Amino acid sequence: MERAKQPKAAIDIFLRYYDMLRHGKTGCIAEDEIVPVAAGDIDDLMQIGDSHSSAGAKALPHTVVIKLNGGLGTSMGLYTAKSLIPVKNELSFLDITALQIRDFNERFGVSIPLILMNSFNTDADSLAALLGTYRDIATSIPLSFIQHKFPKIRAADLKPAEAPDNPPSEWNPPGHGDLYTSILSSGVLDKLIDKGYRYAFISNCDNLGALLDTWILGYFAEKGFPFLMEVTDRTYMDRKGGHIARLKNGSLVLREAAQCPPDSIGKFMDTSLHRYFNTNNLWIRLDALKDMWRRKTLNLPMIRNMKKLDPRVPGSPDVIQLESAMGSAISVFENAGALRVPRTRFAPVKNCEELLLLWSDYYVLTADYRIVMSPRHKSIQMNVNLDPKYYRILDDLKERFPSGIPSLAGCESLSITGDVKFGKGIIITGKTSIVNTSGTQALIPDGTRLTGEIKLS
């Protein structure tokens, strides 16, 4: 890490996690260590309404927006910045993020800084895209800072993993919990505080429902929280995502899937038991964050992830990636809070199934550049299951929908099994399952209407 010019703060955190690993710590949170958060146990944004909006408007000049932008989209077969993928009306995630900030600044007469937490892989391309088209939203605050990297660890003997033919694969990103270390070691935290900024709204760049909001900002400011997490109701699609719970002492905690022991996985995925899902939309008081660094109390729980050194190489050795989650700070900040928000504030794209929905008319782009569910759609969240053999990679998805995505505004669920190619002007409604067992690609003709069980051969 020193040879790779990683700062002392990042090295210290890695060494703490590595020492835990050497002593057999797993970072797991068992079911008997927590209590589910009951319905009504946390405040609800829709019940609070705009009662804090005036306080939010007053806080705007002291607020920044930080977007997590380190991902390459490798789960969809990409090796470029995921935020540059066109997702709606030929606009990328980064385009829409910049347009949201520009529109917000114009409506409120402010100049909110946009800051990207990039990786070494995404920084140059993302900044070039921003400055090439949206130079008007730049401020005196740096447009980005770069997250750190941790060495992968061989599972067999806990030594550093080695890949002489592909040295970059010896490293892993430390998870988005690295934001707190990166913003400090980059000097951006001190610069923000010196210029009078007090609040930061943080979210994933691929979550186009996460906009700066004066209702929430005012609530956050007037309640005096040092840390606030937006949560929303879990659905089947969120069953593997992190949920909040309470420790036996009453404080809130975030439990990610990698922190769940095998004997608790059933209850972890029970969405009726653990109701609230972490949207990764967070609000942080910058002075509280700096104070925690000053007191050396910002110790996030370790996440131990088992991976392959290079998933693309058969027989690649097992490695351990040490990571942390940004939202896990909810158990570290004293008096941290959680706020239930509507599903409209959570519209991420982690895989080709979610990208398919975003490309379709299931979502629409509003005049103020929000991504919202089509008013024609009735369900909270539609379940989509695409055969991973044919639809996991972005290029495969494009090849099978060459003339555009079918209309899904009237669809309740969609499952596609086998190799199916779609023509143009197709409409899918209701609960639809399409199965092709022929072993060769099937074609759905132009203008077809589909619903129910469709068997192709």
Side-chain angles (χ1 to χ4, degrees):
M1 291 181 76
E2 288 176 343
R3 287 196 300 271
K5 295 181 171 56
Q6 297 299 289
K8 184 178 184 301
I11 294 173
D12 288 346
I13 289 173
F14 174 79
L15 289 176
R16 183 170 68 85
Y17 289 161
Y18 184 69
D19 190 60
M20 293 170 67
L21 180 70
R22 287 176 55 244
H23 286 86
K25 303 293 185 182
T26 64
C28 288
I29 303 172
E31 193 67 30
D32 60 7
E33 296 178 53
I34 57 176
V35 177
V37 176
D41 189 28
I42 55 176
D43 286 341
D44 188 325
L45 177 63
M46 300 315 293
Q47 293 180 2
I48 294 169
D50 65 352
S51 57
H52 299 277
S53 60
S54 60
K58 290 178 182 177
L60 282 176
H62 308 288
T63 303
V64 301
V65 170
I66 301 175
K67 291 286 184 175
L68 308 184
N69 187 51
L72 289 179
T74 52
S75 63
M76 293 188 287
L78 299 174
Y79 295 94
T80 56
K82 178 181 174 183
S83 62
L84 301 181
I85 303 172
V87 289
K88 201 72 177 173
N89 300 355
E90 299 185 358
L91 298 170
S92 70
F93 292 106
L94 198 56
D95 285 323
I96 295 174
T97 296
L99 289 167
Q100 289 173 348
I101 292 289
R102 178 191 282 171
D103 176 77
F104 194 93
N105 286 343
E106 290 173 353
R107 284 190 290 118
F108 286 90
V110 291
S111 184
I112 303 291
L114 171 65
I115 308 171
L116 304 178
M117 183 176 84
N118 290 330
S119 66
F120 288 99
N121 295 314
T122 63
D123 195 54
D125 289 347
S126 298
L127 290 184
L130 268 184
L131 293 173
T133 310
Y134 306 103
R135 189 174 291 273
D136 58 306
I137 68 170
T139 67
S140 61
I141 300 299
L143 276 170
S144 73
F145 57 91
I146 298 178
Q147 68 183 121
H148 302 122
K149 57 184 182 180
F150 283 175
K152 295 178 182 177
I153 302 165
R154 292 196 311 221
D157 56 13
L158 302 188
K159 292 183 178 180
E162 296 179 350
D165 296 334
N166 184 19
S169 69
E170 298 174 355
W171 300 86
N172 66 266
H176 38 62
D178 183 59
L179 177 136
Y180 306 116
T181 314
S182 296
I183 196 173
L184 173 76
S185 61
S186 66
V188 171
L189 178 59
D190 287 335
K191 179 167 280 193
L192 289 171
I193 292 173
D194 289 346
K195 287 185 173 291
Y197 290 100
R198 184 172 174 81
Y199 309 106
F201 172 53
I202 308 167
S203 61
N204 294 341
C205 202
D206 67 0
N207 179 10
L208 296 177
L211 276 75
L212 187 60
D213 184 280
T214 55
W215 291 16
I216 304 176
L217 175 58
Y219 170 82
F220 177 59
E222 293 201 318
K223 288 289 186 178
F225 293 119
F227 178 101
L228 180 70
M229 175 188 290
E230 294 183 34
V231 300
T232 195
D233 294 352
R234 290 176 92 200
T235 69
Y236 177 80
M237 294 284 279
D238 310 315
R239 67 194 183 283
K240 296 181 181 179
H243 67 79
I244 60 166
R246 289 197 184 276
L247 296 171
K248 296 299 176 66
N249 64 9
S251 63
L252 290 165
V253 66
L254 170 66
R255 182 170 66 164
E256 300 281 2
Q259 295 172 290
C260 183
D263 59 357
S264 297
I265 197 67
K267 290 186 176 179
F268 176 91
M269 293 196 295
D270 185 346
T271 59
S272 64
L273 178 67
H274 294 293
R275 299 168 174 265
Y276 300 118
F277 172 72
N278 171 29
T279 64
N280 230 28
N281 301 344
L282 306 179
W283 300 78
I284 292 178
R285 219 177 65 226
L286 297 171
D287 63 319
L289 176 58
K290 182 60 184 289
D291 184 59
M292 291 195 72
W293 277 118
R294 190 180 295 116
R295 293 186 287 113
K296 299 180 179 180
T297 55
L298 189 64
N299 294 321
L300 301 183
M302 176 191 74
I303 297 177
R304 177 181 180 270
N305 262 327
M306 295 297 297
K307 301 281 186 177
K308 292 291 185 180
L309 177 59
D310 188 340
R312 297 164 296 176
V313 177
S316 183
D318 293 328
V319 296
I320 299 168
Q321 295 185 182
L322 298 180
E323 304 173 8
S324 63
M326 183 173 69
S328 66
I330 197 169
S331 62
V332 176
F333 281 93
E334 190 175 349
N335 299 320
L339 179 67
R340 183 189 183 209
V341 298
R343 192 78 191 191
T344 51
R345 290 190 59 79
F346 185 66
V349 176
K350 303 297 183 189
N351 50 49
C352 284
E353 293 166 331
E354 291 169 340
L355 184 58
L356 181 78
L357 283 178
L358 195 54
W359 278 349
S360 77
D361 57 0
Y362 176 87
Y363 284 112
V364 296
L365 185 65
T366 67
D368 57 351
Y369 302 101
R370 290 179 297 117
I371 292 288
V372 300
M373 190 183 297
S374 168
R376 291 184 290 160
H377 207 275
K378 302 293 191 292
S379 68
I380 296 175
Q381 179 69 28
M382 192 174 101
N383 294 335
V384 177
N385 291 289
L386 304 179
D387 193 326
K389 184 176 180 180
Y390 302 103
Y391 300 93
R392 185 181 69 84
I393 304 301
L394 182 63
D395 287 345
D396 291 343
L397 190 71
K398 290 178 179 178
E399 191 273 329
R400 285 162 178 79
F401 296 95
S403 303
I405 305 302
S407 170
L408 299 176
C411 185
E412 297 175 42
S413 66
L414 174 63
S415 173
I416 303 176
T417 304
D419 190 359
V420 183
K421 189 172 185 176
F422 293 77
K424 66 179 179 180
I426 293 171
I427 299 173
I428 302 177
T429 60
K431 297 179 179 179
T432 299
S433 172
I434 303 169
V435 179
N436 174 23
T437 58
S438 69
T440 59
Q441 187 176 80
L443 174 65
I444 306 292
D446 295 351
T448 304
R449 299 179 70 94
L450 301 171
T451 192
E453 294 187 11
I454 314 294
K455 294 186 177 180
L456 307 172
S457 58

